[in-house]
Structures are given as C-alpha cells and as structure tokens.
Amino acid sequence: CLWIVGVITLLFLKLVPFLRFKSFILKNSNQIEDKDILKLFNECKEELKLIKRIELLTCGSAVSPMLIGMIRPIILIPENSRDYKRLKMILKHELCHYKRKDIIIKALRLIINAIHWFNPLIFILSKEMDKLCEYSVDEMIVEEMNMENRKYYAETILNVASSISKA
C-alpha cells in the first residue's frame, strides 16, 4: 500500500505542475505569421525528413525554446526570434528531440521514477538521462558543421542558457 501511495503521489506531483505549465504556455502563445520563419521551419523539417505536422508557436512566457506534446507536438520559441541562423539551429535542435522520440523517453523515465520512487539512484540516473539526451542532440546537430558554425551553435546554446538563468 505504501508503495502504491508513493507511485500515485510522485505522478501527481510531477504531472499536475506540468499540465498547469502547458496550459499556461498554450494560452499565452500565438501562431507564427512571419513567412520567413515558417519557411525556415519547413526547411528544417525537410532536412530531418520529418513529415508529421508539428506546430510552431511563439510565446512571450517561454524563456527558452521547447518541444511539448507527444500526440500533438508543438515547438515553442520565444518572441522576437529574428536571428535566422540562430533560429535555424534552435529549430533543428527541437526537431531532433522530436525525431529521436525524446518526449516518449521522458515519459517512460517519469513512469520508472514513479515505480522506483524509493530509490535515490533512479533520480540521479534520471537527471543524467536528461543531460545525455541534450548532449546527443547537440552532437547530432554539429556532426556535419564546419568549425565556424560549431562555434556559433555553442554561442547559441550559451545565449539560451543565459536567458534561462536570468528568468
């Protein structure tokens, strides 16, 4: 009984804030009408050979780009994303998360965390798994880049991380 209570509690403590966050973000997001950004987004999808409909929204409340939704995937980008070279790298990064099914991996990770809520090692491994997902996507993106673009991508990551730490 104690184990079941732990599973339910952990799932509740993780899912309720996420659902509130997702609802808040979606209420405060807008369709992107800029034809250049939409064209860039479609080019990125073509490069990664993605055919599924993935929505692209902008949100003033989003401090960093993110992919949300397993069934209806949405990529959110902060407002005023006008540096197209940087934006292309960001979009490819988020689309790679989609292509690699990282959202499903995170959902499975949540279930495993809930089942093994009593084991601190699982929580440590879970955090490491998140890092590895990010690193592997970054590696996938820079794989075919020249050194100049790799530096620019690293600057992009640092800019995004800086904006997150300021929020």
Side-chain angles (χ1 to χ4, degrees), residues 132-160:
L132 291 174
C133 280
E134 288 299 323
Y135 296 158
S136 66
V137 166
D138 291 336
E139 187 176 318
M140 188 175 165
I141 300 253
V142 300
E143 192 173 52
E144 296 176 11
M145 286 183 181
N146 62 27
M147 192 53 70
E148 182 183 326
N149 285 338
R150 286 180 183 210
K151 288 179 183 176
Y152 196 76
Y153 184 74
E155 288 174 14
T156 300
I157 292 172
L158 291 174
N159 285 338
V160 169

Side-chain angles (χ1 to χ4, degrees), residues 74-91:
I74 299 169
I75 292 179
L76 290 163
I77 57 173
E79 291 177 344
N80 302 323
S81 300
R82 296 284 176 237
D83 180 345
Y84 292 114
K85 183 177 181 181
R86 181 164 283 151
L87 184 57
K88 182 175 183 177
M89 290 177 178
I90 288 169
L91 291 173

Side-chain angles (χ1 to χ4, degrees), residues 4-167:
I4 291 173
V5 169
V7 169
I8 292 169
T9 302
L10 189 97
L11 286 173
F12 183 79
L13 291 173
K14 295 289 184 176
L15 288 176
V16 169
F18 170 75
L19 293 174
R20 284 185 182 154
F21 169 76
K22 184 178 176 182
S23 174
F24 173 78
I25 287 289
L26 293 178
K27 283 180 189 171
N28 294 302
S29 38
N30 301 308
Q31 292 286 341
I32 292 180
E33 296 175 6
D34 185 325
K35 303 265 188 248
D36 293 330
I37 293 176
L38 292 172
K39 181 181 176 193
L40 185 66
F41 181 61
N42 287 325
E43 286 173 8
C44 292
K45 283 177 60 178
E46 286 175 19
E47 283 179 32
L48 294 170
K49 297 176 177 66
L50 294 171
I51 54 173
K52 181 164 177 160
R53 184 178 188 284
I54 302 169
E55 205 169 346
L56 181 64
L57 302 175
T58 184
C59 181
S61 304
V63 276
S64 72
M66 66 183 82
L67 170 69
I68 57 174
M70 276 194 287
I71 297 168
R72 198 183 104 204
I74 299 169
I75 292 179
L76 290 163
I77 57 173
E79 291 177 344
N80 302 323
S81 300
R82 296 284 176 237
D83 180 345
Y84 292 114
K85 183 177 181 181
R86 181 164 283 151
L87 184 57
K88 182 175 183 177
M89 290 177 178
I90 288 169
L91 291 173
K92 281 183 82 172
H93 179 97
E94 297 306 324
L95 287 168
C96 282
H97 278 301
Y98 174 77
K99 184 173 183 161
R100 295 171 50 94
K101 310 290 187 223
D102 286 347
I103 289 181
I104 295 170
I105 291 169
K106 287 184 178 200
L108 290 172
R109 186 205 67 204
L110 174 64
I111 293 167
I112 291 168
N113 272 358
I115 292 170
H116 296 277
W117 61 266
F118 53 87
N119 187 344
L121 185 60
I122 295 298
F123 287 92
I124 294 168
L125 290 173
S126 176
K127 287 183 181 182
E128 285 302 309
M129 203 164 131
D130 278 345
K131 288 181 198 174
L132 291 174
C133 280
E134 288 299 323
Y135 296 158
S136 66
V137 166
D138 291 336
E139 187 176 318
M140 188 175 165
I141 300 253
V142 300
E143 192 173 52
E144 296 176 11
M145 286 183 181
N146 62 27
M147 192 53 70
E148 182 183 326
N149 285 338
R150 286 180 183 210
K151 288 179 183 176
Y152 196 76
Y153 184 74
E155 288 174 14
T156 300
I157 292 172
L158 291 174
N159 285 338
V160 169
S162 172
S163 68
I164 291 171
S165 67
K166 289 177 186 175

